[in-house]
Amino acid sequence: MRGPDDEAPVLFAYRRGDWQPSLDTAPLPGATRARLALVPHIVAHSDRRWWDGVRADLPPLSGRHELVLSALELFRYGTVTIGGIGPQSADAFRAALWESAGLPGPLVERWGAMLYEGAARRETVAPDDALALVALPGNTFTCLDSVLEQAERSACVWVRPSRREPLSAARLLAALLAVGWPPARLGLYPTEQHTLHGLLKLTDRHVVYGGAGLAASVRDSPVLALHGPGRGCALVPPGAGAGAAGAADPLDAVDAVDDMVAWLLPLIAADSGRFCSNVRTVVCVDHDPEPLAKALAAALDALHPGPAPDPAAPRWPLTAFRDPAEADRAAASVRDRLRPGDHLLTREPTVVTGTGVGTRTGGDVYVRPQLALLRSDPTAPSHPLIGHEVPFPFAAVLGATADAARALADAALFVYRPPATPGGAP
């Protein structure tokens, strides 16, 4: 008897120089019933032995940088053939990302351009004999830049895609193959979470993206580049967004707040808040955070899913959640971390159903931006909302002394300070 998923498309793995199905599969998000072929550890272990046997006979690969740029042109605009899926146009890729991962077209185009620009700027390096592993996150495909960097640097690169969004990684490998990258020098290894540690042992160099739990479990490797939480932080000095207390003229205070909101809004909301570099914590140094927090919350409340109400307004599209329960959990993770005295200042409903790019029964589920004002001893770095990373725009605003702000900034990988004002204030 055939099961309900027998006719569902399966995205293949890529191993030993060819697209390969698997008896082990996992469902992809979305309503298409598509599935992902998984590579068990025993198979990956056998593939490492295969690689050791073939690499000595591979001819040198020259012109890697030029091949990478050509592949990115195909990735963004062309048609490539992906195992289990078949030919896929650029439009079909955008539609698939929207259907499975809730990524709207403007973000897909922006992230594709970022990939190309980053690769074009990268200096070429002499390749070595390493088998590299890149374990990708599911929040953004701009991390494919690490795949390209390792492809230019390494003898071979295995890619472990996120099970939430493997489509972009598969398309990039297909584009590299289409421009002439040697098949034996590439691999796509979707796996269960527990298999990642086995892949680390099988490979020579590793680039791993993940949250705090994953980071803690793999950080001991001496050949590991770990991309964990960024805990993005913005420091707002006195006089910049300080409200009436920071300016003699109330109109100057309003202007200062408006200037800070205009500076902070894209740092928080660009890329749907999915980058580790997005601001999660706004620290008002030696001044009351409430005037800035209220204005910033109002600006975040004005960001709506779907088409912008005002075509002339800045546009930071929100991503949709294909699992409503995941949206609820992500939104609740902010509320559950509030302490007595803290306030959630954004007023719009948090989890909403809207109309996105496609047509979907029941609509598309979004998590609206959130902003919390921390009043419960927020200078303690242990506050659970400081640096809290969620897959939608979120920031916690707090006041702190200069010493406490310095400690908070030291715990962040990305620290932002406002540009100099016309009057010279920092």
Side-chain angles (χ1 to χ4, degrees):
M1 179 178 292
R2 299 177 69 84
D5 292 319
D6 284 344
E7 301 300 326
V10 177
L11 172 60
F12 289 177
Y14 191 84
R15 37 181 295 272
R16 298 196 181 205
D18 201 2
W19 295 101
Q20 303 277 3
S22 174
L23 295 177
D24 297 326
T25 63
L28 292 177
T32 64
R33 297 188 300 116
R35 301 186 70 83
L36 175 66
L38 301 178
V39 180
H41 175 69
I42 191 171
V43 173
H45 191 275
S46 174
D47 289 351
R48 173 66 207 229
R49 293 198 303 269
W50 173 85
W51 164 250
D52 288 338
V54 303
R55 62 179 173 181
D57 296 327
L58 292 175
L61 176 57
S62 59
R64 298 188 185 207
H65 191 65
E66 291 74 18
L67 286 175
V68 160
L69 296 182
S70 297
L72 284 173
E73 287 291 312
L74 267 181
F75 177 87
R76 296 170 66 192
Y77 305 119
T79 295
V80 299
T81 300
I82 301 171
I85 294 178
Q88 183 193 67
S89 68
D91 286 342
F93 173 56
R94 286 192 291 270
L97 283 186
W98 170 250
E99 177 61 37
S100 66
L103 300 181
L107 270 188
V108 175
E109 293 170 10
R110 169 175 161 79
W111 292 356
M114 292 174 69
L115 268 180
Y116 187 89
E117 292 162 3
R121 290 193 301 266
R122 185 165 44 245
E123 295 183 1
T124 58
V125 296
D128 57 27
D129 201 35
L131 170 58
L133 171 72
V134 180
L136 294 166
N139 57 323
T140 168
F141 67 74
T142 56
C143 297
L144 289 170
D145 186 64
S146 291
V147 175
L148 298 172
E149 180 184 16
Q150 291 302 317
E152 292 191 46
R153 176 185 178 187
S154 310
C156 178
V157 58
W158 287 2
V159 182
R160 180 188 179 271
S162 164
R163 285 174 49 178
R164 286 187 294 146
E165 198 287 275
L167 300 175
S168 57
R171 180 173 174 84
L172 182 63
L173 258 68
L176 286 167
L177 293 168
V179 299
W181 207 274
R185 294 184 181 273
L186 295 172
L188 184 71
Y189 283 76
T191 69
E192 300 281 5
Q193 180 66 44
H194 62 82
T195 307
L196 172 59
H197 296 273
L199 289 177
L200 292 174
K201 295 177 181 178
L202 291 173
T203 49
D204 306 320
R205 182 167 53 240
H206 327 115
V207 180
V208 176
Y209 292 84
L214 175 61
S217 69
V218 302
R219 64 164 50 100
D220 292 335
S221 170
V223 287
L224 171 69
L226 179 64
H227 298 271
R231 300 174 64 88
C233 175
L235 303 180
V236 182
D249 187 334
L251 292 179
D252 291 341
V254 171
D255 288 343
V257 169
D258 289 345
D259 288 344
M260 287 301 98
V261 169
W263 172 63
L264 287 166
L265 193 60
L267 294 176
I268 298 168
D271 302 297
S272 199
R274 291 201 170 207
F275 284 10
C276 61
S277 56
N278 281 115
V279 164
R280 309 294 181 173
T281 309
V282 179
V283 185
C284 295
V285 184
D286 288 330
H287 63 89
D288 183 7
E290 188 166 346
L292 177 59
K294 287 183 174 180
L296 189 54
L300 289 170
D301 273 338
L303 300 182
H304 291 271
D310 179 3
R315 180 74 179 113
W316 295 292
L318 300 176
T319 52
F321 284 72
R322 292 299 172 236
D323 180 355
E326 182 184 354
D328 290 334
R329 287 192 296 270
S333 73
V334 172
R335 297 192 302 271
D336 293 345
R337 286 168 169 79
L338 292 170
R339 291 178 172 176
D342 299 337
H343 300 283
L344 196 62
L345 295 186
T346 38
R347 299 303 183 194
E348 292 292 325
T350 305
V351 180
V352 298
T353 300
T355 302
V357 178
T359 301
R360 176 179 295 275
T361 302
D364 299 302
V365 178
Y366 297 86
V367 179
R368 297 286 302 276
Q370 295 190 65
L371 183 136
L373 175 62
L374 308 187
R375 291 293 197 184
S376 56
D377 189 21
T379 58
S382 60
H383 192 292
L385 281 178
I386 291 177
H388 181 51
E389 296 191 358
V390 284
F392 60 89
F394 163 74
V397 183
L398 60 127
T401 65
D403 288 342
R406 191 175 300 110
L408 293 169
D410 288 344
L413 291 180
F414 300 92
V415 180
Y416 302 88
R417 294 172 175 81
T421 64

